[in-house]
Amino acid sequence: MAIETTLSIIKPDAVERNLIGKIISRFEEDGLRPVAIRRQHLSRAEAEGFYAVHKERPFFGELVEFMTRSPVVIMALRGEDAVAKNREIMGATNPAQAADGTIRKLYANSIGENSVHGSDSVENAAIEVAYFFRTTEIAD
Ligand code: IDP
Ligand code: MG
């Protein structure tokens, strides 16, 4: 295990329902510390660029519409094994399949409106953190 930094986004469905504090608490309780945080209303170009890997998927248009409909909270989370730990705390993409106690089981509305994003590998975490934060915006 090693100290890693991963990207987390609290998605519009959760920000709209005032769940920012509850979600950040869940990460902190499990040893993931936000080392950068920004609230931002994503533009279409920013959302399309971030999710470019999914552009051929049938849900891409719906995903971009959802992610741009209201503000999100973007965070870099740091801690031991942060990439895998974040995915564990988030739960499965589809909340119907998410384990008890995970953020998506607790809060997600559907497979699309599933409250949080998390990087899926160490390599993608570095790319995604750099997509949203300059190194000077990250404070350990
Ligand atoms: P992940 O967020 O668990 O990594 P991905 O497969 O990378 O899941 O999908 C990215 C996002 O696209 C999901 O979090 C969800 O918001 C949306 N999404 C995934 N599958 C579907 C679907 O079948 N219908 C609608 N939206 C979907
Ligand atoms: Mg993913």
Side-chain angles (χ1 to χ4, degrees):
M1 295 220 294
I3 301 290
E4 296 169 352
T5 307
T6 191
L7 192 84
S8 171
I9 302 178
I10 305 177
K11 294 183 177 182
D13 68 288
V15 175
E16 288 163 3
R17 287 177 288 147
N18 295 324
L19 294 170
I20 297 169
K22 287 195 171 79
I23 289 173
I24 293 178
S25 289
R26 190 70 183 72
F27 291 129
E28 290 182 324
E29 280 159 14
D30 276 26
L32 295 184
R33 292 185 309 121
V35 291
I37 305 186
R38 182 169 70 246
R39 180 182 174 109
Q40 183 176 333
H41 196 148
L42 295 178
S43 68
R44 171 166 292 274
E46 284 164 337
E48 285 177 349
F50 182 71
Y51 280 117
V53 60
H54 294 307
K55 65 177 183 294
E56 306 304 332
R57 308 276 284 275
F59 57 81
F60 183 69
E62 185 188 328
L63 177 59
V64 170
E65 281 300 313
F66 165 55
M67 291 299 290
T68 58
R69 86 174 177 212
S70 61
V72 297
V73 172
I74 309 167
M75 300 182 283
L77 298 177
R78 184 169 289 171
E80 278 286 342
D81 215 10
V83 174
K85 190 178 280 182
N86 179 37
R87 296 292 306 195
E88 211 176 288
I89 297 167
M90 289 165 59
T93 308
N94 185 346
Q97 284 152 18
D100 283 347
T102 61
I103 290 169
R104 284 167 164 171
K105 177 72 169 198
L106 286 167
Y107 304 124
N109 288 328
S110 65
I111 190 169
E113 300 199 8
N114 58 6
S115 304
V116 278
H117 167 84
S119 308
D120 64 4
S121 67
V122 171
E123 189 189 9
N124 284 336
I127 294 167
E128 292 182 355
V129 169
Y131 189 84
F132 284 116
F133 294 107
R134 301 162 199 252
T135 51
T136 53
E137 293 175 313
I138 299 172
D140 191 45

